[in-house]
């Protein structure tokens, strides 16, 4: 995918066909977890860090193999679990020289506010010898988003990297991998930032169940009430994207992966 809505990896077809193609499983690709990612997953279990379901990780990898983004971003790097899946895709030794340039993005930014986790991700980048095009940003997504939108609003080099900008522009692939309570706002801001023709991938929040009662103004919302409010915001986001852009869903064993494609 590239600037001005020109997808480098997508053939010309209807939006519905694009979304169907994007979200289908690549039956020719090994669905076994890559060795490095599997090792990181074991570390996460020992550290009691929640894992994105394997079905979702592998499908995100399959989607990324089709879009060939110029500038890719992961929001919520953790200790590099999902990133390892993508490095395994983009640094595949079996790909002949030249074809790598067609698949691998020009830049890959992994946003992780935790400094200790950032050090681990930096080691992962070096392990894949990707220092020339991949980088971890040790900052909150809110800060990175605000800074990036500021550059865009001031019309500084929309089609090129603005001097001092944390994110190379335009961003045409943005993957949201944050806790559920942060996911809706992160996905909405990601869609605001992604360029025309760009794609946002996120796991759909779980549907709230049961009666949560009325919110007491003096006490604020309970966790259950906050979850309902967040899900209602998700429904509003889906409506907006569906009305003016393109939206796709695929139900997997670990949840529903959602693709939000911004039309020009």
């Amino acid at each position: 995918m590239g600037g001005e809505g020109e997808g480098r990896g997508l053939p010309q077809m209807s939006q519905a066909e694009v979304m169907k193609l994007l979200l289908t499983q690549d039956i020719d690709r090994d669905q076994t977890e890559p060795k490095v990612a599997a090792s990181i997953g074991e570390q996460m279990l020992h550290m009691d860090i929640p894992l994105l379901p394997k079905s979702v990780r592998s499908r995100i990898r399959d989607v990324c193999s089709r879009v060939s983004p110029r500038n890719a971003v992961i929001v919520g790097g953790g200790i590099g679990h999902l990133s390892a899946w993508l490095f395994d895709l983009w640094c595949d030794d079996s790909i002949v020289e030249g074809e790598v340039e067609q698949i691998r993005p020009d830049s890959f930014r992994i946003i992780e506010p935790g400094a200790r986790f950032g050090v681990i991700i930096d080691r992962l980048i070096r392990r894949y010898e990707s220092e020339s095009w991949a980088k971890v940003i040790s900052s909150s997504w809110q800060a990175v988003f605000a800074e990036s939108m500021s550059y865009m609003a001031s019309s500084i080099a929309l089609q090129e990297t603005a001097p001092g900008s944390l994110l190379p522009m335009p961003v045409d692939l943005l993957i949201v991998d944050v806790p559920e309570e942060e996911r809706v706002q992160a996905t909405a801001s990601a869609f605001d930032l992604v360029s025309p023709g760009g794609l946002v991938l996120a796991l759909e929040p779980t549907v709230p169940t049961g009666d949560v009662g009325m919110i007491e103004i003096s006490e604020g919302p309970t966790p259950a009430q906050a979850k309902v409010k967040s899900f209602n915001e998700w429904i509003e986001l889906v409506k907006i994207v569906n009305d003016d852009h393109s939206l796709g869903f695929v139900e997997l064993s670990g949840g529903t992966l959602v693709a939000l494609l911004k039309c020009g």
Side-chain angles (χ1 to χ4, degrees), residues 19 23 237-239 241-242 245-249 258-261:
M19 302 313 289
L23 293 170
L237 174 63
V238 166
K239 287 179 180 177
V241 175
N242 192 51
H245 304 276
S246 291
L247 192 68
F249 298 84
V258 184
L260 303 89
L261 182 65

Side-chain angles (χ1 to χ4, degrees), residues 84-116:
W85 278 76
L86 299 183
F87 279 124
D88 186 78
L89 167 69
W90 291 328
C91 302
D92 187 349
D93 292 337
S94 67
I95 302 174
V96 290
E97 187 175 354
E99 290 184 3
V100 172
E101 310 303 326
Q102 299 284 327
I103 297 172
R104 192 182 70 198
D106 297 336
S107 75
F108 181 33
R109 297 295 179 264
I110 305 164
I111 300 172
E112 171 49 53
R116 291 175 59 192

Side-chain angles (χ1 to χ4, degrees), residues 147-148 150-151 154-158 160-169:
E147 186 262 13
S148 300
S150 176
Y151 275 104
S154 57
S155 301
I156 300 177
L158 286 179
E160 298 178 1
T161 302
S165 175
L166 290 174
L167 298 180
M169 298 289 182

Side-chain angles (χ1 to χ4, degrees), residues 145-247:
F145 171 70
E147 186 262 13
S148 300
M149 292 299 288
S150 176
Y151 275 104
M152 293 176 66
S154 57
S155 301
I156 300 177
L158 286 179
Q159 298 305 315
E160 298 178 1
T161 302
S165 175
L166 290 174
L167 298 180
M169 298 289 182
V171 175
D172 45 10
L173 174 63
L174 222 157
I175 303 165
V176 178
D177 183 16
V178 297
E180 184 161 319
E181 61 270 19
E182 304 172 22
R183 196 176 305 149
V184 177
Q185 289 189 351
T187 304
S189 55
F191 194 72
D192 285 341
L193 179 63
V194 76
S195 65
L199 184 71
V200 176
L201 297 173
L203 189 63
E204 183 177 52
T206 55
V207 180
T209 58
D211 183 7
V212 299
M214 299 294 291
I215 297 176
E216 297 291 337
I217 298 177
S218 60
E219 298 181 5
T222 65
Q225 290 168 339
K227 184 173 183 177
V228 169
K229 181 177 181 293
S230 178
F231 193 79
N232 288 337
E233 292 171 351
W234 171 258
I235 295 300
E236 288 302 313
L237 174 63
V238 166
K239 287 179 180 177
I240 291 170
V241 175
N242 192 51
D243 285 346
D244 299 319
H245 304 276
S246 291
L247 192 68

